[in-house]
Amino acid sequence: MNESNVKSRKRVAIVGATGYSGAELTAIMARHAEVELVALFSSSSTARGPVTPTLPQFIAEPFSIDALIAAQPEIVFLATPNEVSAGLAPQLLDLGMRVIDLSGAFRLEEPSMYPTWYGFDHERPNLLGEAVYGLTEYCNGELKNARLVANPGCYPTSILLALRPLTFAIDREQPVICDSKSGVSGAGKKADVNFSFAELFGNFKAYSVGQHRHEPEIRQQLHLGDRAPVVFVAHLLPVHRGILSTIHIGFTHPMSEQQITDAYTRAYDHAPFVRVLPAGQLPELKNVVNTPRAEIGFQLLHGGRRAVIVSVLDNLLKGAASQAVQNFNRMCGFPETEALI
Amino acid sequence: MNESNVKSRKRVAIVGATGYSGAELTAIMARHAEVELVALFSSSSTARGPVTPTLPQFIAEPFSIDALIAAQPEIVFLATPNEVSAGLAPQLLDLGMRVIDLSGAFRLEEPSMYPTWYGFDHERPNLLGEAVYGLTEYCNGELKNARLVANPGCYPTSILLALRPLTFAIDREQPVICDSKSGVSGAGKKADVNFSFAELFGNFKAYSVGQHRHEPEIRQQLHLGDRAPVVFVAHLLPVHRGILSTIHIGFTHPMSEQQITDAYTRAYDHAPFVRVLPAGQLPELKNVVNTPRAEIGFQLLHGGRRAVIVSVLDNLLKGAASQAVQNFNRMCGFPETEALI
Amino acid sequence: MNESNVKSRKRVAIVGATGYSGAELTAIMARHAEVELVALFSSSSTARGPVTPTLPQFIAEPFSIDALIAAQPEIVFLATPNEVSAGLAPQLLDLGMRVIDLSGAFRLEEPSMYPTWYGFDHERPNLLGEAVYGLTEYCNGELKNARLVANPGCYPTSILLALRPLTFAIDREQPVICDSKSGVSGAGKKADVNFSFAELFGNFKAYSVGQHRHEPEIRQQLHLGDRAPVVFVAHLLPVHRGILSTIHIGFTHPMSEQQITDAYTRAYDHAPFVRVLPAGQLPELKNVVNTPRAEIGFQLLHGGRRAVIVSVLDNLLKGAASQAVQNFNRMCGFPETEALI
Amino acid sequence: MNESNVKSRKRVAIVGATGYSGAELTAIMARHAEVELVALFSSSSTARGPVTPTLPQFIAEPFSIDALIAAQPEIVFLATPNEVSAGLAPQLLDLGMRVIDLSGAFRLEEPSMYPTWYGFDHERPNLLGEAVYGLTEYCNGELKNARLVANPGCYPTSILLALRPLTFAIDREQPVICDSKSGVSGAGKKADVNFSFAELFGNFKAYSVGQHRHEPEIRQQLHLGDRAPVVFVAHLLPVHRGILSTIHIGFTHPMSEQQITDAYTRAYDHAPFVRVLPAGQLPELKNVVNTPRAEIGFQLLHGGRRAVIVSVLDNLLKGAASQAVQNFNRMCGFPETEALI
């Protein structure tokens, strides 16, 4: 870090720094040349302690609003549970801070969906209209002045990056099948026998079929219309990190490899963190774990009338922390890749 | 084992006993009360040695047809590569032995498919018509007198058990998506950097999309007609054993949970190795690993117009060795569960 | 199972059948030809349910002493926590039942060690003198009439089997270093973030150095005298099952490979579940996981003045359930291998 | 990277960039502010291709000495097999380049040990005397002018960092037991069935006991004298990365926790990549994986007459690539932490 520009650095705080995503976020922001990390808070712990054992030099304090205010941050990252974010973000906005929320509290546009999918009522439903859905590659000027960014869910990011460039060609009469598999860190730090090593080693299973909170988020952001039969199935993969989504779609007209490649090129030619593989080549999880990158590959089937698309990313990075930093960089006018490569 | 009935025991040989499936088969047959294991052969090794380190008491010999003949088996299991089985099975049949083949050499009914999918021409195509496809739960009297049984593939078994009871209701205009995930033992013992621990630990990927040999086998045995758009995607799961298939189907008419449950009950009420879970409950891999059992669960979606079906089994047991023993028991008139529970 | 001898079968109950060891024990005893399983209890659950998802056919009831008595067992296995066993075993003995306890409640001979190492006082210290320490290979007639068997700990079993045949040659002036590594199932079913998959995947650590309850058990049973500097270090291996102990010893006089081999042969030539490898060959974990067998290998160093001994077993089987069944078979006069091979 | 200082940047080449350590090295050096990476070579491949799939932007060329010379590097890293390094390093030195060798080719001081331990004769034995053994924390001015640095082995680094501060107190009459466990990447990229996923998943074993090449390196660098009975046992841990060494030592006089802590503090107070934990606290593997840091903890036993010391590091970083960069930084007068934090 260059000491000469300390004055001009953005003052940043992180709440929830001790969770898996929060710790990744802390590590990234600590090497950001344009940032001064003025406060790190855990969201649940009552004792101060290291953000994570791999970052013993960073200490998180138990959260208090007074301590946060005293630190005078300009931008606050919330890596907190949904309900905590829903309550805290409005307070911070009222204090004039900008907020990047990594939870699901501001991702859905329709307030009435919160009781159903998240189990709580939104006290400030108007913020749902204001919040920018931060799928960075699909944001333009709106991040520049955003007060509140809803950082996308990990599963939705993997699916939306794969499908958004192809929506023009997708047959909405046929089901869009999103068969996703995630590493266990996606569930957070848990004292739960169902997430114990002894139960998950060598195991694999689907979960929350038809009931996963990311499903309405995916539908909303796919822009395929209400009638499109989207199916989302999440699975628990016995690895620490990473999401792989296998997506099955039909087209209204047979597509060529070149047409698909062109569509992806148009979408991501200038996207530093999305890599599209040559036609017929499919990505694997290990190539993106511990990186801020998503990779996408596809295979045409049935004479181009269908495709299998495979998308991979690290759920804690492109699925959470590094995408939040992409959004932060855009909000502040910094290069999108700052601190990320 | 009861020494009194040695004379009446079936004389059985196993070729390919040192592979992963062959070793499982050896372990099962060694505890079969009605069997005398008269010969164990490896298919590739040139030295005698233990079938597997966990079974140090069983020694496999390098294969020779003379040694096999000398052992005078009545029934021979072939846990050998496709081309080895294709060449060897006819010889054994000509010698009057019965054959249970665990490879893909006799699974496809149409000889012309072998050059395309398996890379070799069948010298005895008429045997493809004679071979009984040994998905045990769907075999009746034909096993009793079968000379040659084609033991089903691991992926097809997991998919067919899940779908066959529902074919009457499946909408053949909609894609039938079979998104399957298998442990690494499915690839056999391999000196291949792509199957090395260092490359697969923490990894996950799809493979052979549109090109997997099990795909024509699934289509053939689903009996959905040529036009039904079946999609099969295999993935490599970072575990040793087990297959989980997530299957996405549409129905011609909305179905109730009771209708689905009834269909499965009709199919498997008397099947000792297929367990159907209550509606809305999905199986997990660990519950069937090291067992001869398949488990099936389903979740209705979209008002009963679609379903997600999840099917699990151990690829080396119900997907290979234990199903071969079910077939053996039926061929010989022994109880289907003998040596398996 | 042969129905004709139902009357003469031993009536057996298991308390704690839903734990990892208890479920293994249930699976073994269910196939025991001479046993009638008259009752299965969980020790903690308040609802009836399957012993384990892989054994859906066996249902455990919440424990009650009345239900246990009503079932009229002759022999009761306790796969219960230490304090539960300490309280329950005396009651059962008083009722005339025989008890095989898989906990540590009766393993230490000296009552005063219980407050220090186990955190409770023994109410019936005289039972510590009566209990037979069930390291089966070192038991003789005493099991025949035992009322109470203390089944050895998993770590002690792996270490004692390796060292007991060599105690005559071990230099007691030099440290005896037992560097042991266990799979996570050794800790039992736990809702504890430190045993969560996300924390243990790809991880490895030592734990409880100088404070592990198995340390006094090892010292007591090694019979090396109080002065011998025994060091025991346990590590948590990121696998589900299995213990590997690497043991470092010095000899009073240089030993030859033949001398070591002879000592082991004398000890285990007739032991069906202990396999000693040829000199210089070391065992690996996977060869004993899911088997009732321990394997031992050694490598002489420094001109025969020292050795490294490696011992492996499955902590849930030879380290718990299958050894308990060996003891049961000896107690009842059945063949030691019954239900185990 | 600041474009203004391109002229003054060090010109660096890497041979063996496509191996596991080489790829880590490439990633680090690519973000080094003072370095121009002028050439990347694989050591074995005959085709150009990405250094590693996670770094698709870096392309390695097949090695040729002409291409290396044409690139005009000032410093060359060799992440090549032992014999390749032994042959190549002298050529590069003769051409006036400086060499940091990550292989074992120059680690042993005594030429006669090479045929025994490495299977080849050294053609330039005088270089063994010149090479600086690059355990960075124990190097002083000698790196500044070094032409040839022998980067330490991964196991020796983990053991030497733990023991060197305590050599003054170690009882050389008692064995020094180094029980080390390494992730599979330590073996390199291998097409070998013994390193296949199917064989190593859920497995654990000791290997090369008494025959590991790192053993003479450890003895040489411990400076305990020839008579000290050092025992080194390596184990293969079923994880991708990381080494944990459990070290058992005796002291000539009873030691206090404070004395041990003081000794470590003296050694590492200013070492940016060695972290010593408070007395009685032991490190775990995951806290150093993917970091350039070693962590050390200890537990006194037997009234301070003995200790268990546990040391962890990432075998590909502090055990290879990041330590090589520490050495590079010292050789060039850059801050030791440049590109590493």
Side-chain angles (χ1 to χ4, degrees), chain D residues 170-200:
Chain D
I170 291 175
D171 180 0
R172 299 168 192 207
E173 303 297 316
Q174 293 188 51
V176 172
I177 309 285
C178 305
D179 199 286
S180 295
K181 302 89 179 175
S182 173
V184 181
S185 63
K189 285 190 190 169
K190 287 214 175 172
D192 179 336
V193 71
N194 293 313
F195 289 86
S196 68
F197 187 90
E199 293 293 314
L200 295 182

Side-chain angles (χ1 to χ4, degrees), chain B residues 86 90 105-115 120-131 148:
Chain B
F106 299 95
R107 291 179 193 153
L108 301 183
E109 294 162 0
E110 179 51 62
S112 69
M113 299 185 88
Y114 275 88
F120 66 88
D121 271 303
H122 239 290
E123 294 182 18
R124 295 275 286 270
N126 61 309
L127 287 176
L128 298 179
E130 180 184 342
L148 174 59

Side-chain angles (χ1 to χ4, degrees), chain B residues 20 184 195 197-199 238 240, chain D residues 20 184 195 197-199 201 238 240:
Chain B
Y20 293 131
V184 181
F195 289 87
F197 186 90
E199 294 293 314
H240 184 49
Chain D
Y20 293 131
V184 181
F195 289 86
F197 187 90
E199 293 293 314
F201 181 75
H240 184 49

Side-chain angles (χ1 to χ4, degrees), chain B residues 10 12-14 20-37 40 75-79 98-102 134-137 139 143-144 149-152 157 272-273 291-293 314-341:
Chain B
K10 281 284 169 198
V12 171
I14 299 174
Y20 293 131
S21 295
E24 294 291 329
L25 190 57
T26 304
I28 297 168
M29 293 305 279
R31 61 174 185 257
H32 197 297
E34 310 287 343
V35 162
E36 186 180 7
L37 265 179
L40 295 172
I75 299 196
V76 180
F77 289 92
L78 300 181
R98 301 171 83 185
V99 173
I100 300 173
D101 179 32
L102 281 75
L135 187 66
T136 322
E137 285 73 14
C139 294
L143 283 171
K144 192 80 191 172
V149 172
N151 211 57
T157 299
F273 299 117
T291 86
R293 197 169 60 233
D314 185 320
N315 56 304
L316 300 179
L317 293 174
K318 181 60 180 165
S322 74
Q323 180 149 264
V325 176
Q326 285 182 264
N327 290 329
F328 169 85
N329 284 335
R330 293 266 201 105
M331 289 167 80
C332 300
F334 302 139
E336 188 172 332
T337 57
E338 179 60 44
L340 294 173
I341 55 173

Side-chain angles (χ1 to χ4, degrees), chain A residues 20 184 195 197-199 238 240, chain C residues 20 184 195 197-199 201 238 240:
Chain A
Y20 292 132
V184 181
F195 289 87
F197 186 89
E199 292 294 313
H240 184 49
Chain C
Y20 293 132
V184 181
F195 289 87
F197 187 89
E199 293 293 314
F201 181 75
H240 184 49

Side-chain angles (χ1 to χ4, degrees), chain C:
Chain C
M1 282 189 285
N2 187 339
E3 294 302 313
S4 67
N5 63 354
V6 166
K7 285 224 186 64
S8 66
R9 288 194 205 149
K10 281 284 170 198
R11 299 178 62 83
V12 170
I14 300 174
V15 185
T18 59
Y20 293 132
S21 296
E24 294 292 328
L25 190 57
T26 303
I28 297 168
M29 294 305 280
R31 61 174 185 257
H32 197 297
E34 311 287 344
V35 161
E36 186 180 6
L37 265 178
V38 296
L40 295 172
F41 298 102
S42 78
S43 70
S44 56
S45 174
T46 55
R48 62 193 305 272
V51 159
T52 178
T54 59
L55 297 169
Q57 68 272 39
F58 299 108
I59 304 297
E61 306 286 338
F63 177 74
S64 87
I65 187 73
D66 292 341
L68 179 63
I69 291 170
Q72 297 186 291
E74 296 164 85
I75 298 196
V76 180
F77 289 92
L78 299 181
T80 39
N82 301 304
E83 285 197 64
V84 173
S85 285
L88 190 53
Q91 296 180 57
L92 305 182
L93 294 173
D94 290 348
L95 289 161
M97 303 172 192
R98 302 171 82 186
V99 173
I100 301 174
D101 179 32
L102 280 76
S103 85
F106 299 95
R107 290 180 193 152
L108 301 184
E109 293 162 0
E110 177 52 62
S112 69
M113 299 185 88
Y114 275 89
T116 307
W117 290 94
Y118 282 87
F120 66 88
D121 271 303
H122 239 290
E123 294 182 19
R124 294 274 287 269
N126 61 310
L127 287 176
L128 298 179
E130 179 184 342
V132 173
Y133 186 76
L135 186 68
T136 322
E137 286 72 14
Y138 291 88
C139 294
N140 292 301
E142 65 268 39
L143 282 171
K144 193 79 191 174
N145 300 307
R147 291 201 311 157
L148 174 58
V149 172
N151 211 58
C154 48
Y155 284 121
T157 299
S158 82
I159 290 164
L160 296 169
L161 289 176
L163 287 186
R164 286 278 288 262
L166 306 180
T167 46
F168 73 95
I170 291 175
D171 180 0
R172 298 167 192 209
E173 303 296 315
Q174 294 187 49
V176 173
I177 308 284
C178 305
D179 198 285
S180 295
K181 301 89 180 175
S182 172
V184 181
S185 62
K189 284 190 191 169
K190 284 214 177 174
D192 178 337
V193 71
N194 292 312
F195 289 87
S196 68
F197 187 89
E199 293 293 314
L200 294 181
F201 181 75
N203 198 8
F204 184 63
K205 61 181 166 184
Y207 68 97
S208 301
V209 179
Q211 300 165 359
H212 199 291
R213 288 164 177 173
H214 287 178
E215 187 168 320
E217 183 181 339
I218 294 163
R219 288 175 193 278
Q220 168 185 289
Q221 295 296 333
L222 268 181
H223 304 317
L224 285 176
D226 288 348
R227 293 193 48 242
V230 174
V231 175
F232 169 62
V233 175
H235 300 74
L236 197 58
L237 205 53
V239 304
H240 184 49
R241 303 167 73 131
I243 284 178
L244 184 147
S245 291
T246 310
I247 305 169
H248 306 263
I249 53 174
F251 298 116
T252 51
H253 302 289
M255 299 286 284
S256 69
E257 290 186 344
Q258 192 58 51
Q259 286 174 297
I260 304 284
T261 298
D262 288 350
Y264 279 125
T265 302
R266 276 192 301 275
Y268 300 124
D269 212 21
H270 300 288
F273 298 117
V274 181
R275 186 168 173 245
V276 180
L277 304 185
Q281 195 175 318
L282 299 179
E284 41 193 294
L285 204 59
K286 75 180 166 72
N287 296 351
V288 296
V289 166
N290 289 318
T291 84
R293 198 169 56 233
E295 291 192 2
I296 299 167
F298 69 94
Q299 171 77 47
L300 287 179
L301 297 175
H302 301 185
R305 279 169 290 131
R306 302 193 54 76
V308 171
I309 303 167
V310 177
S311 161
V312 293
L313 52 75
D314 186 321
N315 56 304
L316 300 179
L317 294 175
K318 182 59 181 168
S322 74
Q323 179 149 265
V325 176
Q326 285 182 265
N327 290 328
F328 169 83
N329 284 334
R330 293 267 201 104
M331 288 166 80
C332 300
F334 303 138
E336 187 172 335
T337 58
E338 179 60 45
L340 294 173
I341 56 172

Side-chain angles (χ1 to χ4, degrees), chain A:
Chain A
M1 283 189 283
N2 185 339
E3 294 301 314
S4 67
N5 64 354
V6 165
K7 284 223 185 65
S8 66
R9 288 193 204 150
K10 282 284 169 195
R11 299 178 62 84
V12 170
I14 299 174
V15 185
T18 58
Y20 292 132
S21 296
E24 294 291 329
L25 189 58
T26 303
I28 297 169
M29 293 306 279
R31 60 175 186 257
H32 198 298
E34 311 287 343
V35 162
E36 187 181 7
L37 265 178
V38 297
L40 295 172
F41 298 101
S42 77
S43 70
S44 56
S45 174
T46 54
R48 60 193 308 272
V51 159
T52 178
T54 59
L55 298 169
Q57 68 272 39
F58 299 109
I59 303 298
E61 307 286 338
F63 177 71
S64 88
I65 187 74
D66 292 339
L68 179 63
I69 292 169
Q72 297 187 290
E74 296 164 84
I75 299 196
V76 179
F77 289 92
L78 300 181
T80 39
N82 301 304
E83 285 197 64
V84 173
S85 286
L88 190 53
Q91 296 181 56
L92 304 183
L93 294 173
D94 290 349
L95 288 162
M97 303 171 192
R98 303 170 81 185
V99 172
I100 300 172
D101 179 32
L102 281 77
S103 87
F106 299 95
R107 291 179 193 153
L108 300 183
E109 293 162 0
E110 179 50 63
S112 68
M113 300 185 86
Y114 275 89
T116 307
W117 291 95
Y118 282 87
F120 66 88
D121 272 302
H122 240 289
E123 294 183 16
R124 295 272 289 268
N126 61 309
L127 287 176
L128 298 179
E130 179 185 342
V132 173
Y133 186 76
L135 187 67
T136 321
E137 286 73 14
Y138 291 88
C139 294
N140 292 303
E142 66 268 38
L143 282 171
K144 192 80 191 173
N145 300 305
R147 291 201 310 158
L148 174 58
V149 172
N151 210 57
C154 48
Y155 284 121
T157 298
S158 82
I159 290 164
L160 296 169
L161 289 176
L163 286 186
R164 286 279 289 263
L166 306 179
T167 45
F168 74 95
I170 291 176
D171 181 1
R172 299 168 192 207
E173 304 297 315
Q174 293 187 51
V176 173
I177 308 284
C178 305
D179 198 285
S180 296
K181 302 88 179 175
S182 172
V184 181
S185 62
K189 284 190 191 169
K190 286 212 176 173
D192 179 337
V193 72
N194 292 313
F195 289 87
S196 68
F197 186 89
E199 292 294 313
L200 295 181
F201 181 75
N203 198 8
F204 184 62
K205 61 180 167 184
Y207 68 98
S208 301
V209 180
Q211 300 166 358
H212 199 290
R213 288 164 177 174
H214 286 179
E215 187 168 320
E217 183 182 338
I218 293 164
R219 288 176 193 275
Q220 168 184 289
Q221 295 296 332
L222 267 181
H223 304 316
L224 285 175
D226 287 349
R227 294 191 49 240
V230 174
V231 175
F232 169 63
V233 175
H235 300 75
L236 198 58
L237 204 53
V239 304
H240 184 49
R241 303 167 72 133
I243 284 178
L244 184 147
S245 290
T246 310
I247 305 169
H248 306 264
I249 53 174
F251 297 116
T252 51
H253 301 290
M255 298 287 284
S256 69
E257 290 187 345
Q258 191 59 51
Q259 285 175 298
I260 304 284
T261 299
D262 287 350
Y264 279 126
T265 301
R266 277 192 301 275
Y268 300 124
D269 211 20
H270 300 288
F273 299 116
V274 181
R275 185 167 174 246
V276 179
L277 303 186
Q281 195 175 317
L282 299 179
E284 42 193 292
L285 204 60
K286 75 180 165 71
N287 295 351
V288 296
V289 166
N290 289 318
T291 85
R293 199 169 56 234
E295 292 192 1
I296 299 167
F298 68 95
Q299 171 78 47
L300 288 179
L301 297 175
H302 302 185
R305 281 169 290 132
R306 301 192 55 76
V308 172
I309 303 167
V310 177
S311 160
V312 292
L313 53 74
D314 185 321
N315 56 305
L316 299 179
L317 293 175
K318 182 59 181 167
S322 73
Q323 179 149 265
V325 176
Q326 285 182 264
N327 289 329
F328 169 84
N329 284 334
R330 294 267 200 104
M331 289 167 80
C332 300
F334 303 139
E336 188 171 333
T337 58
E338 179 60 44
L340 294 173
I341 57 173

